[in-house]
């Protein structure tokens, strides 16, 4: 007969796994929502900046605050994504500049490693490469970023917690 404590531990483990799965799904949904908002915003800015029929506003119209007191719109194109931006799903022709600097740094480290014929990197090794203290918080932050890049198709994880560039990203024209 199983012990009560053992049954409780088993149910606790099942509940923890469910919470983790739901949390990942919620993060994915939130990321997609934010990405859609940015796509929509960029589209709107493009509409505002492009000359239209009967449009009297010039190209600098977006630089002035609106009547609602909103800050001026930013240009539709920027050189790199801002920190805390959503990681887009990789597709052919998408440049590394679509990613924030932290994600680009991870891709560059893995690209350099691939050019040298070395194998996958662990998050601990990435922390060392970037000159970060190898404390759990820093390593886990890198692991989170690497897992996000993996989920979006930028990286591959051939073994648990060992990352390389995805074949499609590492192929011709995949770099920055």
């Amino acid at each position: 007969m199983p012990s009560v404590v053992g049954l409780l531990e088993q149910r606790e483990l099942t509940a923890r796994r469910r919470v983790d799965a739901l949390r990942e799904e919620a993060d994915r949904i939130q990321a997609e929502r934010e990405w859609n908002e940015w796509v929509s915003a960029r589209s709107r800015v493009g509409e505002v900046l492009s000359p239209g029929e009967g449009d009297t506003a010039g190209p600098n119209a977006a630089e002035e605050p609106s009547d609602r007191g909103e800050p001026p719109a930013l240009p539709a194109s920027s050189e790199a994504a801002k920190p805390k931006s959503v990681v887009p799903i990789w597709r052919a022709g998408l440049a590394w500049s679509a990613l924030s600097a932290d994600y680009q740094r991870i891709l560059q480290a893995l690209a350099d490693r691939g050019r040298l014929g070395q194998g996958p990197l662990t998050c601990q090794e990435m922390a060392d490469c970037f000159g970060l203290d190898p404390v759990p918080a820093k390593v886990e932050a890198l692991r989170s970023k690497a897992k996000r890049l993996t989920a979006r198709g930028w990286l591959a994880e051939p073994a648990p917690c060992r990352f390389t560039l995805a074949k499609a990203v590492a192929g011709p024209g995949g770099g920055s």
Side-chain angles (χ1 to χ4, degrees):
M1 174 182 232
S3 72
V4 173
V5 173
L7 290 172
L8 289 173
E9 287 175 345
Q10 185 179 24
R11 290 197 178 182
E12 178 185 355
L13 179 61
T14 301
R16 168 54 51 202
R17 287 181 179 152
R18 181 160 162 70
V19 166
D20 289 343
L22 290 172
R23 191 171 284 142
E24 287 176 12
E25 179 68 12
D27 288 345
R28 185 189 62 76
I29 290 169
Q30 178 63 29
E32 286 179 8
R33 182 178 296 134
E34 289 175 10
W35 175 71
N36 285 330
E37 289 172 0
W38 284 112
V39 168
S40 177
R42 189 166 52 103
S43 173
R44 295 286 183 179
V45 169
E47 289 173 15
V48 169
L49 294 179
S50 67
E53 291 180 28
D55 189 6
T56 57
N60 295 330
E63 294 177 2
E64 299 174 8
S66 71
D67 295 332
R68 296 181 303 259
E70 296 171 350
L74 296 173
S77 63
S78 62
E79 289 188 23
K82 305 294 181 254
K84 304 282 185 190
S85 64
V86 176
V87 176
I89 295 174
W90 184 87
R91 63 185 180 280
L94 185 60
W96 289 7
S97 61
L99 301 170
S100 69
D102 289 344
Y103 291 104
Q104 289 181 33
R105 195 163 81 166
I106 291 170
L107 292 177
Q108 189 61 55
L110 292 170
D112 292 345
R113 186 127 171 139
R115 276 192 292 277
L116 295 173
Q118 299 171 339
L121 266 178
T122 66
C123 295
Q124 180 81 34
E125 292 167 334
M126 278 187 231
D128 290 340
C129 288
F130 302 149
L132 300 174
D133 293 331
V135 296
K138 302 285 184 181
V139 174
E140 287 305 314
L142 282 171
R143 185 179 332 284
S144 173
K145 286 180 173 75
K147 290 282 190 180
R148 191 168 295 121
L149 286 167
T150 301
R152 304 295 198 285
W154 293 88
L155 298 183
E157 191 176 7
C161 297
R162 298 190 63 79
F163 300 94
T164 63
L165 283 181
K167 297 257 188 258
V169 175
S176 53

Coordinates of all heavy atoms in Angstrom, one line a residue, residues 60-135:
N60 N 7.3 64.7 -41.8 CA 7.7 64.9 -40.4 C 6.5 65.0 -39.5 O 6.6 65.3 -38.3 CB 8.5 66.2 -40.3 CG 9.8 66.2 -41.0 OD1 10.4 65.1 -41.1 ND2 10.3 67.3 -41.5
A61 N 5.3 64.7 -40.0 CA 4.1 64.7 -39.1 C 4.2 63.8 -38.0 O 3.7 64.1 -36.9 CB 2.9 64.4 -40.0
A62 N 4.8 62.7 -38.1 CA 4.9 61.7 -37.0 C 5.9 62.1 -35.9 O 5.9 61.5 -34.9 CB 5.3 60.3 -37.6
E63 N 6.7 63.1 -36.1 CA 7.6 63.6 -35.1 C 7.0 64.4 -34.1 O 7.6 64.7 -33.0 CB 8.8 64.3 -35.8 CG 9.6 63.4 -36.7 CD 10.7 64.2 -37.4 OE1 10.8 65.4 -37.2 OE2 11.4 63.5 -38.2
E64 N 5.8 64.9 -34.3 CA 5.1 65.8 -33.3 C 4.2 65.0 -32.5 O 3.6 64.0 -33.0 CB 4.3 66.9 -34.0 CG 5.2 67.8 -34.9 CD 4.4 68.8 -35.7 OE1 3.2 68.9 -35.5 OE2 5.0 69.5 -36.5
P65 N 4.0 65.3 -31.2 CA 3.1 64.5 -30.4 C 1.7 64.7 -30.9 O 1.3 65.7 -31.4 CB 3.2 65.2 -29.0 CG 4.5 66.0 -29.0 CD 4.7 66.3 -30.5
S66 N 0.8 63.7 -30.7 CA -0.5 63.8 -31.1 C -1.4 64.6 -30.2 O -0.9 65.0 -29.1 CB -1.1 62.4 -31.2 OG -1.3 61.9 -29.9
D67 N -2.6 64.9 -30.6 CA -3.5 65.6 -29.7 C -3.8 65.0 -28.4 O -4.2 65.6 -27.4 CB -4.9 65.8 -30.4 CG -4.7 66.7 -31.7 OD1 -3.8 67.5 -31.7 OD2 -5.5 66.5 -32.6
R68 N -3.6 63.7 -28.3 CA -3.9 62.9 -27.1 C -2.6 62.9 -26.2 O -2.6 62.2 -25.2 CB -4.3 61.5 -27.4 CG -5.6 61.4 -28.2 CD -5.9 60.0 -28.5 NE -4.9 59.3 -29.3 CZ -4.9 59.0 -30.6 NH1 -5.9 59.5 -31.3 NH2 -4.0 58.4 -31.2
G69 N -1.6 63.6 -26.5 CA -0.4 63.7 -25.7 C 0.5 62.5 -25.8 O 1.3 62.3 -24.9
E70 N 0.4 61.7 -26.8 CA 1.2 60.5 -27.0 C 2.6 61.0 -27.5 O 2.7 62.0 -28.1 CB 0.6 59.6 -28.0 CG -0.7 59.0 -27.6 CD -1.4 58.3 -28.7 OE1 -1.0 58.3 -29.9 OE2 -2.4 57.6 -28.4
P71 N 3.6 60.2 -27.2 CA 5.0 60.6 -27.6 C 5.1 60.4 -29.1 O 4.3 59.8 -29.8 CB 5.9 59.5 -26.9 CG 5.0 58.4 -26.6 CD 3.6 59.0 -26.4
P72 N 6.0 61.1 -29.7 CA 6.2 61.0 -31.2 C 6.5 59.5 -31.6 O 7.1 58.8 -30.9 CB 7.4 61.9 -31.5 CG 8.1 62.1 -30.2 CD 7.1 61.9 -29.1
A73 N 6.0 59.2 -32.8 CA 6.2 57.8 -33.3 C 7.7 57.7 -33.8 O 8.3 58.7 -34.2 CB 5.3 57.6 -34.5
L74 N 8.2 56.5 -33.6 CA 9.6 56.2 -34.1 C 9.6 55.8 -35.5 O 8.6 55.3 -36.0 CB 10.2 55.1 -33.2 CG 10.3 55.4 -31.7 CD1 10.8 54.2 -31.0 CD2 11.3 56.6 -31.5
P75 N 10.7 56.0 -36.2 CA 10.7 55.5 -37.6 C 10.4 54.0 -37.7 O 10.7 53.3 -36.8 CB 12.2 55.8 -38.0 CG 12.7 56.8 -37.0 CD 11.9 56.6 -35.8
A76 N 9.9 53.6 -38.8 CA 9.5 52.2 -39.0 C 10.7 51.3 -39.0 O 10.5 50.1 -38.7 CB 8.6 52.1 -40.3
S77 N 11.8 51.8 -39.5 CA 13.0 50.9 -39.5 C 14.0 51.3 -38.5 O 14.2 52.5 -38.3 CB 13.6 50.9 -40.9 OG 14.1 52.2 -41.1
S78 N 14.5 50.3 -37.8 CA 15.6 50.6 -36.8 C 16.6 49.5 -37.0 O 16.4 48.5 -37.5 CB 15.0 50.6 -35.4 OG 14.5 49.3 -35.1
E79 N 17.8 49.9 -36.6 CA 18.9 48.9 -36.9 C 18.9 47.7 -36.1 O 19.2 46.6 -36.5 CB 20.3 49.7 -36.6 CG 20.5 50.7 -37.6 CD 21.9 51.3 -37.5 OE1 22.8 50.6 -36.9 OE2 22.1 52.4 -38.0
A80 N 18.4 47.7 -34.8 CA 18.3 46.5 -34.0 C 17.1 46.6 -33.2 O 16.6 47.7 -32.8 CB 19.6 46.4 -33.1
A81 N 16.6 45.5 -32.8 CA 15.4 45.4 -31.9 C 15.8 45.9 -30.6 O 16.9 45.9 -30.2 CB 14.9 44.0 -31.8
K82 N 14.8 46.5 -29.9 CA 15.1 47.0 -28.5 C 15.1 45.9 -27.5 O 14.6 44.8 -27.7 CB 13.9 48.0 -28.2 CG 13.7 49.1 -29.2 CD 14.9 50.0 -29.2 CE 14.7 51.1 -30.2 NZ 15.4 51.0 -31.4
P83 N 15.8 46.1 -26.4 CA 15.8 45.1 -25.3 C 14.4 44.8 -24.9 O 13.5 45.7 -25.0 CB 16.6 45.8 -24.2 CG 17.5 46.8 -24.9 CD 16.7 47.3 -26.1
K84 N 14.2 43.6 -24.4 CA 12.9 43.2 -24.0 C 11.9 43.0 -25.1 O 10.7 42.9 -25.0 CB 12.2 44.1 -23.0 CG 13.1 44.4 -21.8 CD 13.0 43.3 -20.8 CE 13.8 43.6 -19.5 NZ 13.9 42.6 -18.7
S85 N 12.4 43.0 -26.4 CA 11.5 42.8 -27.5 C 11.2 41.3 -27.7 O 11.9 40.5 -27.2 CB 12.1 43.4 -28.8 OG 13.3 42.7 -29.1
V86 N 10.2 41.0 -28.4 CA 9.7 39.7 -28.7 C 10.7 39.0 -29.7 O 11.1 39.7 -30.7 CB 8.3 39.7 -29.2 CG1 7.8 38.3 -29.6 CG2 7.4 40.3 -28.2
V87 N 11.0 37.8 -29.5 CA 11.8 37.0 -30.5 C 10.9 36.5 -31.6 O 10.0 35.7 -31.3 CB 12.5 35.8 -29.8 CG1 13.3 35.0 -30.8 CG2 13.4 36.3 -28.7
P88 N 11.1 37.0 -32.8 CA 10.3 36.5 -33.9 C 10.7 35.1 -34.3 O 11.8 34.6 -34.1 CB 10.7 37.4 -35.1 CG 12.0 37.9 -34.8 CD 12.1 37.9 -33.3
I89 N 9.7 34.4 -34.9 CA 10.0 33.0 -35.4 C 10.9 33.2 -36.6 O 10.6 34.0 -37.4 CB 8.6 32.3 -35.7 CG1 7.8 32.1 -34.5 CG2 8.9 31.0 -36.4 CD1 6.4 31.6 -34.7
W90 N 11.9 32.3 -36.6 CA 12.9 32.4 -37.7 C 12.2 32.0 -39.0 O 11.4 31.1 -39.1 CB 14.1 31.5 -37.5 CG 15.1 31.7 -38.6 CD1 16.1 32.6 -38.6 CD2 15.2 30.9 -39.8 NE1 16.8 32.5 -39.8 CE2 16.3 31.5 -40.5 CE3 14.5 29.9 -40.3 CZ2 16.6 31.0 -41.7 CZ3 14.8 29.4 -41.6 CH2 15.9 30.0 -42.3
R91 N 12.6 32.8 -40.1 CA 12.1 32.5 -41.4 C 13.2 32.9 -42.4 O 14.0 33.8 -42.0 CB 10.8 33.1 -41.8 CG 10.8 34.6 -41.7 CD 9.4 35.2 -42.0 NE 9.5 36.7 -41.9 CZ 9.5 37.4 -40.9 NH1 9.5 36.9 -39.7 NH2 9.6 38.7 -40.9
A92 N 13.3 32.3 -43.5 CA 14.3 32.7 -44.5 C 14.3 34.2 -44.8 O 13.2 34.8 -45.0 CB 14.1 31.9 -45.8
G93 N 15.5 34.8 -44.8 CA 15.6 36.2 -45.1 C 15.5 37.1 -43.9 O 15.7 38.3 -44.0
L94 N 15.2 36.5 -42.7 CA 15.1 37.3 -41.5 C 16.5 37.5 -40.9 O 17.2 36.6 -40.6 CB 14.2 36.7 -40.5 CG 13.9 37.4 -39.2 CD1 13.2 38.8 -39.5 CD2 13.0 36.6 -38.3
A95 N 16.9 38.8 -40.8 CA 18.2 39.1 -40.3 C 18.3 39.0 -38.8 O 17.3 39.2 -38.1 CB 18.6 40.5 -40.8
W96 N 19.5 38.8 -38.3 CA 19.8 38.8 -36.9 C 19.4 40.1 -36.3 O 19.1 40.2 -35.1 CB 21.2 38.5 -36.6 CG 21.6 37.1 -36.9 CD1 20.9 36.1 -37.5 CD2 22.9 36.5 -36.6 NE1 21.6 35.0 -37.6 CE2 22.8 35.2 -37.1 CE3 24.0 36.9 -35.9 CZ2 23.9 34.3 -36.9 CZ3 25.1 36.1 -35.8 CH2 25.0 34.8 -36.3
S97 N 19.4 41.2 -37.0 CA 19.1 42.5 -36.5 C 17.6 42.6 -36.0 O 17.3 43.6 -35.3 CB 19.4 43.6 -37.5 OG 18.6 43.4 -38.7
A98 N 16.8 41.6 -36.3 CA 15.4 41.6 -35.8 C 15.4 41.3 -34.3 O 14.4 41.4 -33.7 CB 14.6 40.6 -36.6
L99 N 16.6 40.8 -33.8 CA 16.7 40.4 -32.4 C 17.4 41.5 -31.6 O 18.1 42.3 -32.1 CB 17.5 39.1 -32.3 CG 17.0 37.9 -33.1 CD1 18.0 36.8 -33.1 CD2 15.7 37.4 -32.4
S100 N 17.1 41.5 -30.3 CA 17.8 42.4 -29.4 C 19.3 42.0 -29.3 O 19.7 40.9 -29.7 CB 17.1 42.4 -28.1 OG 17.4 41.2 -27.4
A101 N 20.1 42.9 -28.8 CA 21.5 42.7 -28.7 C 21.9 41.5 -28.0 O 22.8 40.8 -28.3 CB 22.2 43.9 -28.1
D102 N 21.2 41.2 -26.9 CA 21.5 40.0 -26.1 C 21.3 38.7 -26.9 O 22.2 37.8 -26.9 CB 20.6 39.9 -24.9 CG 20.9 40.9 -23.8 OD1 22.0 41.5 -23.9 OD2 20.1 41.2 -22.9
Y103 N 20.3 38.6 -27.7 CA 20.0 37.4 -28.5 C 21.1 37.4 -29.7 O 21.5 36.3 -30.0 CB 18.6 37.5 -29.1 CG 17.6 37.2 -28.0 CD1 16.8 38.3 -27.5 CD2 17.3 36.0 -27.5 CE1 15.8 38.1 -26.6 CE2 16.4 35.8 -26.5 CZ 15.6 36.8 -26.0 OH 14.7 36.6 -25.1
Q104 N 21.4 38.5 -30.2 CA 22.4 38.6 -31.3 C 23.7 38.1 -30.8 O 24.5 37.4 -31.5 CB 22.5 40.0 -31.9 CG 21.4 40.4 -32.7 CD 21.6 41.8 -33.2 OE1 22.7 42.2 -33.5 NE2 20.5 42.6 -33.3
R105 N 24.0 38.4 -29.5 CA 25.3 38.0 -28.9 C 25.4 36.5 -28.8 O 26.4 35.9 -29.0 CB 25.5 38.7 -27.6 CG 26.8 38.7 -27.0 CD 27.0 39.7 -25.9 NE 26.5 39.2 -24.7 CZ 26.7 39.8 -23.5 NH1 27.5 40.8 -23.4 NH2 26.2 39.3 -22.4
I106 N 24.3 35.9 -28.4 CA 24.2 34.4 -28.3 C 24.4 33.8 -29.7 O 25.2 32.9 -29.8 CB 22.9 34.0 -27.7 CG1 22.8 34.4 -26.2 CG2 22.7 32.5 -27.8 CD1 21.4 34.2 -25.6
L107 N 23.7 34.3 -30.7 CA 23.9 33.8 -32.0 C 25.3 33.9 -32.5 O 25.9 33.0 -33.1 CB 22.9 34.5 -33.0 CG 21.4 34.2 -32.8 CD1 20.6 35.0 -33.8 CD2 21.1 32.7 -33.0
Q108 N 25.9 35.1 -32.3 CA 27.3 35.3 -32.7 C 28.3 34.4 -32.0 O 29.1 33.8 -32.7 CB 27.7 36.8 -32.4 CG 29.0 37.1 -33.1 CD 29.0 37.0 -34.6 OE1 28.2 37.6 -35.2 NE2 29.9 36.3 -35.1
A109 N 28.1 34.1 -30.7 CA 29.0 33.2 -30.0 C 28.8 31.8 -30.6 O 29.9 31.1 -30.8 CB 28.6 33.2 -28.5
L110 N 27.6 31.4 -30.9 CA 27.4 30.0 -31.5 C 27.9 30.0 -33.0 O 28.5 29.0 -33.4 CB 26.0 29.6 -31.4 CG 25.5 29.4 -30.0 CD1 24.0 29.3 -29.9 CD2 26.2 28.2 -29.4
A111 N 27.8 31.1 -33.7 CA 28.3 31.1 -35.1 C 29.8 31.0 -35.1 O 30.4 30.3 -35.8 CB 27.9 32.4 -35.8
D112 N 30.5 31.8 -34.1 CA 31.9 31.7 -34.0 C 32.4 30.3 -33.7 O 33.3 29.8 -34.2 CB 32.4 32.7 -33.0 CG 32.2 34.1 -33.4 OD1 32.0 34.4 -34.6 OD2 32.3 35.0 -32.5
R113 N 31.7 29.7 -32.8 CA 32.0 28.3 -32.3 C 31.9 27.3 -33.5 O 32.7 26.5 -33.7 CB 31.0 27.9 -31.2 CG 31.4 26.6 -30.6 CD 31.5 26.8 -29.1 NE 31.6 25.5 -28.5 CZ 32.4 25.2 -27.5 NH1 33.1 26.2 -27.0 NH2 32.5 24.0 -27.0
G114 N 30.8 27.5 -34.3 CA 30.6 26.7 -35.5 C 31.7 26.9 -36.5 O 32.2 25.9 -37.1
R115 N 32.1 28.1 -36.7 CA 33.2 28.4 -37.7 C 34.5 27.7 -37.2 O 35.4 27.3 -38.1 CB 33.4 29.9 -37.9 CG 32.5 30.5 -38.9 CD 32.9 31.9 -39.2 NE 32.8 32.8 -38.1 CZ 31.6 33.4 -37.8 NH1 30.5 33.2 -38.5 NH2 31.6 34.3 -36.8
L116 N 34.7 27.6 -35.9 CA 35.9 27.0 -35.4 C 35.8 25.5 -35.3 O 36.8 24.8 -34.9 CB 36.2 27.6 -34.0 CG 36.6 29.0 -34.0 CD1 36.7 29.5 -32.5 CD2 37.9 29.3 -34.7
G117 N 34.7 24.9 -35.7 CA 34.5 23.5 -35.7 C 34.3 22.9 -34.4 O 34.5 21.7 -34.1
Q118 N 33.9 23.8 -33.4 CA 33.7 23.3 -32.1 C 32.2 22.9 -31.9 O 31.3 23.3 -32.7 CB 34.1 24.4 -31.1 CG 35.5 24.7 -31.2 CD 35.9 25.9 -30.3 OE1 35.1 26.8 -30.0 NE2 37.2 26.1 -30.0
G119 N 31.9 22.2 -30.9 CA 30.6 21.6 -30.7 C 29.6 22.6 -30.0 O 29.9 23.8 -29.9
P120 N 28.5 22.1 -29.5 CA 27.5 23.0 -28.9 C 28.0 23.7 -27.6 O 29.0 23.2 -27.0 CB 26.4 22.0 -28.6 CG 26.6 20.8 -29.4 CD 28.1 20.8 -29.6
L121 N 27.4 24.7 -27.2 CA 27.7 25.5 -26.0 C 26.7 25.2 -25.0 O 25.5 25.2 -25.3 CB 27.7 27.0 -26.3 CG 29.0 27.6 -26.7 CD1 28.8 29.1 -27.0 CD2 30.1 27.5 -25.6
T122 N 27.1 25.1 -23.7 CA 26.2 25.1 -22.6 C 26.0 26.6 -22.2 O 26.8 27.5 -22.5 CB 26.7 24.3 -21.4 OG1 27.9 25.0 -20.9 CG2 27.0 22.9 -21.8
C123 N 25.0 26.8 -21.4 CA 24.7 28.2 -20.9 C 25.8 28.6 -19.9 O 26.2 29.8 -19.9 CB 23.4 28.3 -20.2 SG 22.1 27.9 -21.4
Q124 N 26.4 27.7 -19.2 CA 27.5 28.0 -18.3 C 28.7 28.5 -19.2 O 29.4 29.5 -18.8 CB 27.9 26.8 -17.5 CG 29.1 27.0 -16.6 CD 28.7 27.6 -15.3 OE1 27.6 27.3 -14.8 NE2 29.5 28.4 -14.7
E125 N 29.0 27.8 -20.3 CA 30.1 28.2 -21.2 C 29.8 29.6 -21.8 O 30.7 30.4 -22.0 CB 30.3 27.2 -22.3 CG 30.8 25.9 -21.7 CD 30.8 24.7 -22.7 OE1 29.9 24.7 -23.6 OE2 31.6 23.8 -22.5
M126 N 28.5 29.8 -22.2 CA 28.1 31.1 -22.7 C 28.4 32.2 -21.7 O 28.9 33.3 -22.1 CB 26.6 31.1 -23.1 CG 26.3 30.6 -24.4 SD 24.6 30.9 -24.8 CE 24.1 29.2 -25.2
A127 N 28.1 32.0 -20.5 CA 28.3 33.0 -19.4 C 29.8 33.3 -19.4 O 30.2 34.5 -19.3 CB 27.8 32.5 -18.1
D128 N 30.6 32.3 -19.5 CA 32.1 32.5 -19.5 C 32.5 33.3 -20.7 O 33.3 34.2 -20.6 CB 32.8 31.1 -19.5 CG 32.7 30.4 -18.1 OD1 32.4 31.0 -17.1 OD2 32.9 29.2 -18.1
C129 N 32.0 33.0 -21.9 CA 32.3 33.7 -23.1 C 32.0 35.2 -23.0 O 32.7 36.0 -23.5 CB 31.5 33.1 -24.3 SG 32.1 31.5 -24.8
F130 N 30.8 35.5 -22.3 CA 30.4 36.9 -22.2 C 31.0 37.6 -21.1 O 30.6 38.8 -20.8 CB 28.8 36.9 -22.2 CG 28.2 36.2 -23.3 CD1 26.9 35.6 -23.2 CD2 28.7 36.2 -24.6 CE1 26.3 35.0 -24.3 CE2 28.1 35.6 -25.7 CZ 26.9 35.0 -25.5
G131 N 31.8 36.9 -20.3 CA 32.4 37.6 -19.1 C 31.5 37.8 -18.0 O 31.7 38.7 -17.1
L132 N 30.4 37.0 -17.9 CA 29.5 37.1 -16.8 C 29.9 36.2 -15.7 O 30.5 35.2 -15.9 CB 28.1 36.6 -17.3 CG 27.4 37.4 -18.5 CD1 26.2 36.7 -18.9 CD2 27.2 38.8 -18.0
D133 N 29.5 36.6 -14.5 CA 29.8 35.8 -13.3 C 29.0 34.5 -13.5 O 27.8 34.6 -13.8 CB 29.3 36.5 -12.0 CG 30.2 37.7 -11.7 OD1 31.4 37.7 -12.1 OD2 29.7 38.7 -11.1
P134 N 29.6 33.4 -13.2 CA 28.8 32.1 -13.4 C 27.9 31.8 -12.3 O 27.9 30.7 -11.8 CB 30.0 31.1 -13.6 CG 31.1 31.6 -12.8 CD 31.0 33.1 -12.9
V135 N 27.1 32.8 -11.9 CA 26.1 32.5 -10.8 C 24.8 32.0 -11.4 O 24.5 32.3 -12.6 CB 25.9 33.9 -10.0 CG1 27.1 34.3 -9.3 CG2 25.4 35.0 -10.9

